[in-house]
Amino acid sequence: MIDDLFARWTQLWDAGVWQVWRDYTAAQKSILAMGRELVGQTPADVIYTEDHLRLLHYHPQVASPLPVPVLCVPSLINQYYVMDLIPERSLVGYLLAQGLDVYMLDWGTATEADRCRTMDEYIGVLLRRVVQVIQRATGQPTVSLLGYCMGGMMSLVYAALFPAEIANLVNLAGPINYHDDGIYSVWTRPEWFDVDLLVDTVGNIPAALLNATFHMVRPTNELIQAFNYRDRQHDEAFMRRFAAMQIWLNDPIPFPGEVFRSYIKDLYQQNLLLKGEWLIGGQKIDPRAVTTPTLTIAARYDHIAPWSSVAVLDDLIASLDKQCIVLEKGHIGMVIGSDSHSRLWPQLSAWLSARST
């Protein structure tokens, strides 16, 4: 009797879960068919292109923006518009409203032609050209860098290479210590992960493989999203945010092969950045030598860049003007979560505004 009841309960549970999942995936397909029309809508002009790289200048929202421009540097493998998701969840929009002059680097989608591009080229050549374009456009000798995730690490490296060009540095969830207790630090250990074999075999790391890896870190996340969708699909505001996040999460970028090789071997496996021994452009990058005013922002529940691996930058750098903020959020929620407008955005914009005159 009990066995029969349990078997029937299991059947009903399976049927219910599958129905939720089918509805969720059908909605997901419908949303993705829309393309990017919902996201990244803050008005901007493309003022520079190189191959698939673009530099966007957002339209100022005040009559006289603060003079020091802010360049947002996203990760190489995530679409830039996570910082300008939808109007009510746009870090860019908030910074503009506070009087900052905001630019955005869109790395574009890596192709086979990018397979052999190195980190030296991305930081020392492409990023530098973008900074120089902004300097010419504004007439300002220095630029503030706001780097998110991998872009935070790249911005730090740039500040070490070209300190005279950088007014302020914001590292938003960019890991600095790669020997931490995070899952990626474990997965990439040299005894378990032959990065040379992978890159030599496939070249650029496919976006689908990267996405699958992210899903493996928290395999139940998407099922939770499916149940959230079922419960709130008639909530218009929720569905707008849900659709925007689905577009971003399913729009990853391939990881350029040689950059991936360096990123894993030099950082995750040897931790050369923390040691001050990472060579970029023939120069050792030592965070301890950075004197640029620096704001470090970490997220306590960040499973991609554990908070301590980010916050360590505040202990390392030589700057006399530095601050570290640790938010009780996750890697993405800190930027576009429901309370980001009251937690991250005001602190970030106040810090930059005070140093942008």
Side-chain angles (χ1 to χ4, degrees), residues 109-342:
T109 301
T111 66
E112 184 62 24
D114 300 301
R115 172 176 180 164
C116 295
R117 274 187 166 167
T118 63
M119 190 70 84
D120 300 51
E121 185 174 356
Y122 274 102
I123 297 176
V125 179
L126 297 177
L127 181 52
R128 192 166 196 210
R129 286 177 186 159
V130 165
V131 169
Q132 291 171 339
V133 168
I134 297 173
Q135 288 173 318
R136 290 194 296 269
T138 61
Q140 293 292 324
T142 58
V143 172
S144 294
L145 292 182
L146 166 53
Y148 178 38
C149 190
M150 186 180 178
M153 176 275 292
M154 298 172 77
S155 296
L156 167 67
V157 172
Y158 193 95
L161 288 171
F162 310 108
E165 300 176 11
I166 304 306
N168 306 291
L169 170 65
V170 179
N171 175 23
L172 180 56
I176 306 301
N177 174 20
Y178 289 80
H179 284 183
D180 51 45
D181 58 356
I183 189 64
Y184 295 110
S185 181
V186 175
W187 280 354
T188 55
R189 288 175 184 172
E191 62 267 31
W192 296 335
F193 184 28
D194 187 342
V195 64
D196 289 326
L197 178 60
L198 179 61
V199 174
D200 291 343
T201 302
V202 304
N204 293 339
I205 310 306
L209 177 57
L210 295 172
N211 239 8
T213 304
F214 297 144
H215 286 314
M216 287 169 62
V217 175
R218 291 192 170 178
T220 60
N221 266 12
E222 197 157 13
L223 184 58
I224 293 171
Q225 283 296 319
F227 278 99
N228 283 340
Y229 167 77
R230 183 205 60 179
D231 293 340
R232 303 183 65 184
Q233 59 186 297
H234 302 298
D235 179 340
E236 186 176 337
F238 168 80
M239 284 303 299
R240 181 178 168 81
R241 298 190 298 270
F242 174 81
M245 276 303 299
Q246 288 298 317
I247 292 167
W248 183 73
L249 289 170
N250 290 278
D251 192 13
I253 300 171
F255 208 137
E258 289 306 315
V259 176
F260 183 78
R261 192 194 307 269
S262 171
Y263 194 58
I264 300 300
K265 294 182 73 171
D266 295 345
L267 300 184
Y268 274 104
Q269 295 184 348
Q270 300 181 64
N271 213 16
L272 296 184
L273 179 59
L274 185 75
K275 296 175 182 177
E277 299 174 1
W278 197 25
L279 284 174
I280 297 293
Q283 179 177 325
K284 282 188 177 181
I285 305 301
D286 189 352
R288 296 160 187 82
V290 174
T291 59
T292 304
T294 301
L295 175 63
T296 301
I297 306 173
R300 184 83 63 186
Y301 305 110
D302 192 334
H303 65 287
I304 295 174
W307 76 269
S308 58
S309 72
V310 177
V312 70
L313 178 62
D314 190 65
D315 298 323
L316 292 177
I317 56 174
S319 174
L320 298 178
D321 181 1
K322 62 182 180 179
Q323 182 180 351
C324 182
I325 299 170
V326 180
L327 300 171
E328 304 298 315
K329 300 294 289 184
H331 188 78
I332 300 172
M334 69 188 300
V335 178
I336 56 172
S338 59
D339 58 357
S340 53
H341 67 283
S342 61

